[in-house]
Short mmCIF file of all heavy atoms in Angstrom, two decimals:
data_model
loop_
_atom_site.label_atom_id
_atom_site.label_comp_id
_atom_site.label_asym_id
_atom_site.label_seq_id
_atom_site.Cartn_x
_atom_site.Cartn_y
_atom_site.Cartn_z
N PRO A 288 33.95 98.01 84.17
CA PRO A 288 34.32 97.87 85.57
C PRO A 288 33.59 96.71 86.22
O PRO A 288 32.57 96.22 85.69
CB PRO A 288 33.88 99.20 86.18
CG PRO A 288 32.76 99.66 85.31
CD PRO A 288 33.11 99.21 83.92
N GLU A 289 34.08 96.27 87.35
CA GLU A 289 33.41 95.19 88.07
C GLU A 289 32.09 95.67 88.67
O GLU A 289 31.14 94.91 88.78
CB GLU A 289 34.33 94.69 89.18
CG GLU A 289 33.75 93.51 89.97
CD GLU A 289 34.65 93.05 91.09
OE1 GLU A 289 35.25 93.90 91.77
OE2 GLU A 289 34.75 91.82 91.29
N ILE A 290 32.05 96.95 89.03
CA ILE A 290 30.85 97.54 89.66
C ILE A 290 30.40 98.72 88.81
O ILE A 290 31.20 99.63 88.52
CB ILE A 290 31.16 98.02 91.09
CG1 ILE A 290 31.71 96.89 91.95
CG2 ILE A 290 29.91 98.63 91.73
CD1 ILE A 290 32.32 97.36 93.24
N ALA A 291 29.15 98.72 88.42
CA ALA A 291 28.59 99.84 87.64
C ALA A 291 27.46 100.48 88.42
O ALA A 291 26.58 99.78 88.94
CB ALA A 291 28.07 99.35 86.29
N PHE A 292 27.50 101.80 88.51
CA PHE A 292 26.51 102.53 89.28
C PHE A 292 25.70 103.42 88.36
O PHE A 292 26.24 104.27 87.66
CB PHE A 292 27.23 103.39 90.33
CG PHE A 292 26.39 103.66 91.54
CD1 PHE A 292 26.67 103.06 92.75
CD2 PHE A 292 25.30 104.51 91.46
CE1 PHE A 292 25.89 103.31 93.85
CE2 PHE A 292 24.52 104.77 92.55
CZ PHE A 292 24.82 104.16 93.76
N LEU A 293 24.37 103.24 88.38
CA LEU A 293 23.46 104.04 87.56
C LEU A 293 22.79 105.08 88.43
O LEU A 293 22.15 104.76 89.43
CB LEU A 293 22.40 103.14 86.92
CG LEU A 293 22.88 102.18 85.83
CD1 LEU A 293 21.74 101.25 85.42
CD2 LEU A 293 23.38 102.95 84.63
N LEU A 294 22.93 106.34 88.04
CA LEU A 294 22.29 107.44 88.76
C LEU A 294 21.26 108.12 87.89
O LEU A 294 21.45 108.24 86.68
CB LEU A 294 23.34 108.47 89.19
CG LEU A 294 24.32 108.07 90.30
CD1 LEU A 294 25.27 109.23 90.58
CD2 LEU A 294 23.59 107.68 91.56
N ASP A 295 20.18 108.58 88.53
CA ASP A 295 19.23 109.42 87.80
C ASP A 295 19.58 110.88 88.07
O ASP A 295 20.62 111.18 88.64
CB ASP A 295 17.78 109.07 88.17
CG ASP A 295 17.45 109.41 89.61
OD1 ASP A 295 18.31 109.99 90.30
OD2 ASP A 295 16.33 109.09 90.05
N GLY A 296 18.70 111.80 87.64
CA GLY A 296 19.10 113.19 87.61
C GLY A 296 18.60 114.08 88.71
O GLY A 296 18.87 115.26 88.70
N ARG A 297 17.84 113.59 89.69
CA ARG A 297 17.32 114.48 90.73
C ARG A 297 18.48 114.96 91.59
O ARG A 297 19.21 114.17 92.18
CB ARG A 297 16.27 113.76 91.57
CG ARG A 297 15.55 114.73 92.48
CD ARG A 297 14.41 114.08 93.20
NE ARG A 297 14.00 114.95 94.31
CZ ARG A 297 13.62 114.50 95.48
NH1 ARG A 297 13.57 113.21 95.70
NH2 ARG A 297 13.28 115.34 96.43
N LEU A 298 18.63 116.26 91.67
CA LEU A 298 19.87 116.87 92.15
C LEU A 298 20.25 116.47 93.56
O LEU A 298 21.37 116.03 93.83
CB LEU A 298 19.76 118.39 92.07
CG LEU A 298 21.03 119.17 92.42
CD1 LEU A 298 22.15 118.83 91.46
CD2 LEU A 298 20.75 120.66 92.43
N GLY A 299 19.33 116.62 94.53
CA GLY A 299 19.69 116.38 95.92
C GLY A 299 20.13 114.96 96.19
O GLY A 299 21.25 114.71 96.67
N PRO A 300 19.28 113.94 95.92
CA PRO A 300 19.69 112.56 96.12
C PRO A 300 20.92 112.18 95.29
O PRO A 300 21.79 111.44 95.77
CB PRO A 300 18.46 111.75 95.69
CG PRO A 300 17.31 112.69 95.92
CD PRO A 300 17.85 114.04 95.58
N ARG A 301 21.00 112.67 94.07
CA ARG A 301 22.14 112.34 93.23
C ARG A 301 23.44 112.84 93.86
O ARG A 301 24.46 112.14 93.86
CB ARG A 301 21.98 112.95 91.83
CG ARG A 301 23.12 112.58 90.88
CD ARG A 301 22.97 113.31 89.54
NE ARG A 301 24.10 112.99 88.68
CZ ARG A 301 24.04 112.18 87.63
NH1 ARG A 301 22.91 111.59 87.33
NH2 ARG A 301 25.11 111.95 86.90
N THR A 302 23.41 114.04 94.43
CA THR A 302 24.59 114.59 95.07
C THR A 302 25.02 113.74 96.25
O THR A 302 26.21 113.46 96.43
CB THR A 302 24.32 116.04 95.52
OG1 THR A 302 23.98 116.83 94.39
CG2 THR A 302 25.54 116.63 96.20
N LEU A 303 24.04 113.31 97.07
CA LEU A 303 24.37 112.46 98.21
C LEU A 303 24.93 111.12 97.76
O LEU A 303 25.89 110.59 98.33
CB LEU A 303 23.12 112.25 99.07
CG LEU A 303 22.68 113.43 99.94
CD1 LEU A 303 21.35 113.14 100.60
CD2 LEU A 303 23.73 113.76 100.99
N MET A 304 24.32 110.54 96.73
CA MET A 304 24.81 109.26 96.22
C MET A 304 26.23 109.40 95.70
O MET A 304 27.09 108.53 95.92
CB MET A 304 23.88 108.75 95.12
CG MET A 304 22.54 108.29 95.64
SD MET A 304 21.47 107.74 94.29
CE MET A 304 20.03 107.24 95.23
N GLN A 305 26.47 110.48 95.01
CA GLN A 305 27.82 110.71 94.47
C GLN A 305 28.83 110.83 95.61
O GLN A 305 29.96 110.32 95.51
CB GLN A 305 27.82 111.99 93.64
CG GLN A 305 29.16 112.31 92.98
CD GLN A 305 29.39 111.52 91.71
OE1 GLN A 305 28.55 111.53 90.80
NE2 GLN A 305 30.52 110.83 91.63
N LEU A 306 28.42 111.48 96.70
CA LEU A 306 29.33 111.61 97.85
C LEU A 306 29.67 110.25 98.43
O LEU A 306 30.83 109.96 98.73
CB LEU A 306 28.68 112.50 98.93
CG LEU A 306 28.63 114.00 98.66
CD1 LEU A 306 27.79 114.69 99.73
CD2 LEU A 306 30.04 114.57 98.63
N GLY A 307 28.64 109.42 98.61
CA GLY A 307 28.89 108.08 99.14
C GLY A 307 29.76 107.23 98.22
O GLY A 307 30.67 106.52 98.67
N TYR A 308 29.48 107.34 96.93
CA TYR A 308 30.27 106.62 95.92
C TYR A 308 31.73 107.08 95.94
O TYR A 308 32.66 106.27 95.97
CB TYR A 308 29.65 106.84 94.56
CG TYR A 308 30.45 106.30 93.40
CD1 TYR A 308 30.30 104.97 92.97
CD2 TYR A 308 31.35 107.11 92.71
CE1 TYR A 308 31.03 104.48 91.90
CE2 TYR A 308 32.09 106.63 91.65
CZ TYR A 308 31.92 105.31 91.25
OH TYR A 308 32.65 104.82 90.18
N ASP A 309 31.93 108.40 95.91
CA ASP A 309 33.30 108.94 95.89
C ASP A 309 34.09 108.51 97.12
O ASP A 309 35.28 108.17 97.03
CB ASP A 309 33.27 110.46 95.78
CG ASP A 309 32.78 110.95 94.42
OD1 ASP A 309 32.77 110.14 93.48
OD2 ASP A 309 32.42 112.13 94.32
N ARG A 310 33.44 108.54 98.27
CA ARG A 310 34.13 108.15 99.50
C ARG A 310 34.53 106.68 99.44
O ARG A 310 35.65 106.32 99.79
CB ARG A 310 33.21 108.41 100.70
CG ARG A 310 33.85 108.02 102.03
CD ARG A 310 32.86 108.13 103.18
NE ARG A 310 33.41 107.53 104.39
CZ ARG A 310 32.68 107.17 105.43
NH1 ARG A 310 31.36 107.35 105.42
NH2 ARG A 310 33.25 106.62 106.49
N ALA A 311 33.60 105.83 99.00
CA ALA A 311 33.90 104.39 98.95
C ALA A 311 35.02 104.10 97.96
O ALA A 311 35.93 103.32 98.24
CB ALA A 311 32.63 103.62 98.56
N VAL A 312 34.97 104.73 96.79
CA VAL A 312 36.00 104.49 95.78
C VAL A 312 37.37 104.94 96.28
O VAL A 312 38.39 104.30 95.99
CB VAL A 312 35.64 105.20 94.47
CG1 VAL A 312 36.80 105.21 93.50
CG2 VAL A 312 34.41 104.55 93.83
N SER A 313 37.40 106.01 97.06
CA SER A 313 38.67 106.51 97.57
C SER A 313 39.23 105.65 98.70
O SER A 313 40.44 105.61 98.91
CB SER A 313 38.51 107.95 98.06
OG SER A 313 37.70 108.01 99.22
N GLU A 314 38.35 104.93 99.41
CA GLU A 314 38.79 104.16 100.57
C GLU A 314 38.95 102.67 100.30
O GLU A 314 39.75 102.00 100.97
CB GLU A 314 37.81 104.35 101.73
CG GLU A 314 37.78 105.77 102.28
CD GLU A 314 36.85 105.90 103.47
OE1 GLU A 314 36.46 104.85 104.04
OE2 GLU A 314 36.50 107.05 103.83
N PHE A 315 38.18 102.13 99.35
CA PHE A 315 38.19 100.69 99.12
C PHE A 315 38.92 100.37 97.81
O PHE A 315 38.98 101.17 96.90
CB PHE A 315 36.77 100.13 99.05
CG PHE A 315 35.89 100.52 100.19
CD1 PHE A 315 34.55 100.77 100.00
CD2 PHE A 315 36.41 100.66 101.48
CE1 PHE A 315 33.72 101.14 101.04
CE2 PHE A 315 35.59 101.02 102.54
CZ PHE A 315 34.25 101.27 102.32
N ASP A 316 39.42 99.18 97.74
CA ASP A 316 40.10 98.71 96.53
C ASP A 316 39.04 98.08 95.61
O ASP A 316 38.87 96.87 95.57
CB ASP A 316 41.16 97.68 96.89
CG ASP A 316 41.95 97.24 95.65
OD1 ASP A 316 41.91 97.97 94.64
OD2 ASP A 316 42.56 96.16 95.71
N ILE A 317 38.30 98.95 94.91
CA ILE A 317 37.23 98.47 94.04
C ILE A 317 37.40 99.06 92.65
O ILE A 317 37.94 100.14 92.46
CB ILE A 317 35.83 98.82 94.59
CG1 ILE A 317 35.68 100.33 94.80
CG2 ILE A 317 35.55 98.07 95.88
CD1 ILE A 317 34.30 100.75 95.26
N ASP A 318 36.89 98.32 91.68
CA ASP A 318 36.89 98.73 90.28
C ASP A 318 35.46 99.14 89.93
O ASP A 318 34.60 98.28 89.76
CB ASP A 318 37.38 97.59 89.40
CG ASP A 318 37.27 97.90 87.91
OD1 ASP A 318 37.30 99.11 87.56
OD2 ASP A 318 37.15 96.94 87.10
#
């Protein structure tokens, strides 16, 4: 992909990051 996102395993921050990522991917035309 054009953009690669690396996440670590701490549950709380990871969940928030995943939420932000999912929202952006759903709204923007990004790979």
Side-chain angles (χ1 to χ4, degrees):
E289 182 182 41
I290 304 167
F292 207 108
L293 291 173
L294 290 180
D295 66 5
R297 190 173 165 218
L298 185 62
R301 182 184 177 106
T302 300
L303 285 173
M304 290 178 179
Q305 183 80 53
L306 286 173
Y308 172 87
D309 290 343
R310 180 187 170 198
V312 168
S313 68
E314 294 183 15
F315 309 144
D316 183 20
I317 57 176
D318 175 25

